[in-house]
Amino acid sequence: MLLNFKDYFRRIRRQIILNSYYTNRMKDGKSIHASLMDWIFVILAVALFFAITIYNSTKKIILSLVLTSILIGFFIITLILWKGRTRYRKIKDINEDIANKQIINEIAKYGNRDFLIYIKDLLEKYYNTNFFEYNSHINFIGQVNGEIYGVKCFKSSLENKVSLKDLEHYIEEMKNKKIEEGILVTNSSFTDEVKDETDYLLVDFVEIKKMLKETKEFPKKEEIEQLIIDKYRNRKGNIKERLSFYRKDKIYKFILLGIVLYLVSSFVSYPIYYKIMSFVSIAFGIIIGIYNLVHYIERNYIE
């Protein structure tokens, strides 16, 4: 029972870390808690607008509160559904970006020999065939769909593109050996000249990714999430920074809103209602301020 509870707690903690990371990426550095505060502020502002509008029409406080609660409920549900779909798409894009960087970093660690072995294994899995080492100009040869293919690999930085000049010896050797079909592979990309003037199969970084996905070698969602967790844990003290969710601007916003509502209350037909909402807003800002102060004292005491 205790072990199950610990596993459940670990899963919750893991999900909190992941949500925090994704929110941080989506919101340009803003934490999940800061984003939550934005939500609360928006919902509070919308609720205030509904409440004032309905009360001005009905002149009944209870009815105004009930209708406002219903409208806010629909608003929150709609917001959650819309944000959920948008968040899901953005998380997929973030995971894709992490996987791309993981593959780039992995390939960057390879020397030329290791890169050749990496590509050879990938091609064999993708085409379900065997490739054999040949010579310095044609790295591998193998049979694909009954045709003999000559393979040439180019490892370089992502900024460098493979040009026709790079292919001179390969093309000459292919002609000498009378091999008509070829596969050119690079971890970067090819120039437009190569794309226009060669009939060989061109496998650049984008195509390498497609092959990895089809051969189930592309980083999976679980692996990407583990990378995020590991990166998070390797940053000492980072958890406290990510969980400090209340920024000063949120305190100022709630207190300023409360002051404005209180000042406006003297010029409207229903001053009590405005004063109540102003006290609620100011109280919320004070609570956030107290939390920040306690968190600051605790953090500095621990450090």
Side-chain angles (χ1 to χ4, degrees):
M1 183 68 178
L2 182 60
L3 290 176
N4 290 337
F5 178 77
K6 287 183 177 179
D7 289 340
Y8 181 71
F9 179 77
R10 288 193 193 99
R11 287 196 295 270
I12 292 177
R13 181 177 178 80
R14 177 187 177 89
Q15 197 58 49
I16 289 174
I17 294 172
L18 291 172
N19 287 338
S20 179
Y21 174 83
Y22 288 129
T23 300
N24 187 275
R25 285 284 301 269
M26 294 176 197
K27 302 292 185 179
D28 297 325
K30 185 180 291 185
S31 71
I32 188 172
H33 300 89
S35 296
L36 178 61
M37 291 305 301
D38 288 338
W39 268 54
I40 293 174
F41 188 81
V42 169
I43 291 171
L44 182 62
V46 173
L48 182 62
F49 170 77
F50 283 154
I52 293 174
T53 302
I54 296 172
Y55 184 75
N56 285 337
S57 301
T58 63
K59 305 298 188 296
K60 296 179 180 179
I61 295 179
I62 300 298
L63 180 60
S64 299
L65 293 176
V66 171
L67 292 177
T68 297
S69 299
I70 294 173
L71 291 173
I72 285 297
F74 281 116
F75 175 76
I76 292 174
I77 292 172
T78 303
L79 198 60
I80 289 174
L81 292 175
W82 177 68
K83 289 279 188 179
R85 286 194 293 268
T86 303
R87 184 178 177 86
Y88 176 77
R89 289 195 298 269
K90 288 183 178 180
I91 287 176
K92 285 188 65 176
D93 292 339
I94 291 172
N95 286 346
E96 182 82 10
D97 180 60
I98 294 173
N100 289 346
K101 290 179 180 177
Q102 180 70 8
I103 296 169
I104 290 171
N105 291 337
E106 181 182 354
I107 293 176
K109 295 176 183 177
Y110 294 145
N112 289 330
R113 177 64 183 173
D114 292 331
F115 179 68
L116 291 177
I117 295 173
Y118 174 80
I119 295 301
K120 178 177 179 291
D121 291 340
L122 178 59
L123 292 175
E124 287 181 339
K125 290 177 182 177
Y126 183 77
Y127 289 110
N128 192 27
T129 188
N130 292 317
F131 285 90
F132 304 94
E133 292 190 29
Y134 199 62
N135 58 34
S136 60
H137 300 313
I138 301 175
N139 299 131
F140 309 109
I141 59 171
Q143 193 175 68
V144 179
N145 297 326
E147 297 286 344
I148 299 298
Y149 279 75
V151 180
K152 179 66 177 177
C153 303
F154 299 89
K155 181 179 182 292
S156 64
S157 64
L158 294 178
E159 294 77 20
N160 293 330
K161 295 185 177 183
V162 177
S163 65
L164 273 180
K165 185 177 180 180
D166 299 321
L167 306 180
E168 287 178 354
H169 296 298
Y170 168 76
I171 294 174
E172 183 179 353
E173 186 72 7
M174 290 283 282
K175 290 179 179 178
N176 292 337
K177 301 301 180 182
K178 297 182 180 180
I179 302 175
E180 296 183 359
E181 304 296 338
I183 303 175
L184 300 173
V185 185
T186 180
N187 62 309
S188 58
S189 57
F190 299 95
T191 62
D192 292 335
E193 192 178 26
V194 172
K195 295 176 183 178
D196 294 336
E197 299 188 21
T198 62
D199 294 326
Y200 300 126
L201 293 177
L202 303 181
V203 179
D204 57 10
F205 180 72
V206 175
E207 291 300 319
I208 287 176
K209 285 200 310 176
K210 291 179 181 178
M211 289 182 172
L212 289 171
K213 289 178 180 179
E214 291 197 27
T215 56
K216 310 299 182 185
E217 298 294 325
F218 195 77
K220 300 177 179 62
K221 179 175 177 287
E222 295 75 14
E223 295 171 345
I224 294 170
E225 290 179 350
Q226 190 58 48
L227 285 173
I228 295 172
I229 298 295
D230 292 342
K231 183 178 179 181
Y232 180 88
R233 288 173 177 168
N234 288 335
R235 292 182 178 178
K236 295 181 179 180
N238 194 47
I239 291 179
K240 289 187 177 295
E241 292 298 324
R242 287 180 179 271
L243 293 182
S244 59
F245 72 85
Y246 302 119
R247 302 186 334 188
K248 291 180 180 179
D249 63 325
K250 298 297 182 278
I251 301 173
Y252 299 151
K253 284 180 181 179
F254 281 108
I255 293 179
L256 181 61
L257 176 62
I259 293 173
V260 171
L261 289 174
Y262 187 84
L263 294 175
V264 171
S265 66
S266 302
F267 306 98
V268 296
S269 304
Y270 313 102
I272 296 178
Y273 185 80
Y274 276 77
K275 288 180 180 179
I276 291 174
M277 295 307 297
S278 72
F279 291 141
V280 170
S281 183
I282 292 173
F284 205 80
I286 292 173
I287 291 171
I288 295 174
I290 293 173
Y291 180 93
N292 252 347
L293 179 62
V294 172
H295 180 70
Y296 175 81
I297 294 172
E298 180 187 20
R299 180 182 62 187
N300 283 273
Y301 176 79
I302 292 173
E303 292 175 352

